[in-house]
Amino acid sequence: MLIEDEKNDEPIHYNSGFDYYQQFLHKFAAHYHDSLIILQVDNGLFHKAKRLQIQKFVILFFQPPYSAELNPIETVWEYLKQD
């Protein structure tokens, strides 16, 4: 997938969930650079990747394993599965 960066029109190439997540963290942190950011995340592999670059003012708050009730998207999936 190829997306243009709005600041300098350079193409950004995304290859995996890790790439998407890293770009999200980068842009989110740039926008809220004067704040302490606490993101609640599940235990997805790309959330825990060792090569992930996280700003000092960004804290990843990991959910306990197998705690779908804490993940809002799980409610959406449950609703969509109802037919």
Side-chain angles (χ1 to χ4, degrees):
M1 176 181 247
L2 181 65
I3 297 177
E4 297 291 324
D5 187 304
E6 63 273 357
K7 288 186 178 178
N8 58 16
D9 293 328
E10 291 183 24
I12 301 170
H13 296 274
Y14 294 104
N15 297 319
S16 67
F18 170 83
D19 294 325
Y20 285 108
Y21 189 58
Q22 183 65 74
Q23 188 65 24
F24 163 77
L25 286 177
H26 175 74
K27 290 188 175 215
F28 193 75
H31 187 74
Y32 295 103
H33 64 278
D34 291 333
S35 303
L36 173 64
I37 301 169
I38 302 173
L39 294 173
Q40 180 179 335
V41 296
D42 62 18
N43 289 286
L45 292 177
F46 53 86
H47 292 148
K48 293 184 163 193
K50 290 182 181 180
R51 63 185 176 132
L52 194 60
Q53 297 175 5
I54 304 171
Q55 298 288 334
K56 292 181 181 179
F57 55 90
V58 176
I59 298 170
L60 299 182
F61 179 71
F62 290 93
Q63 296 173 357
Y66 308 106
S67 56
E69 69 279 1
L70 298 177
N71 192 344
I73 194 65
E74 295 298 335
T75 306
V76 175
W77 299 139
E78 185 177 326
Y79 174 79
L80 292 175
K81 289 178 184 177
Q82 294 174 359
D83 215 87

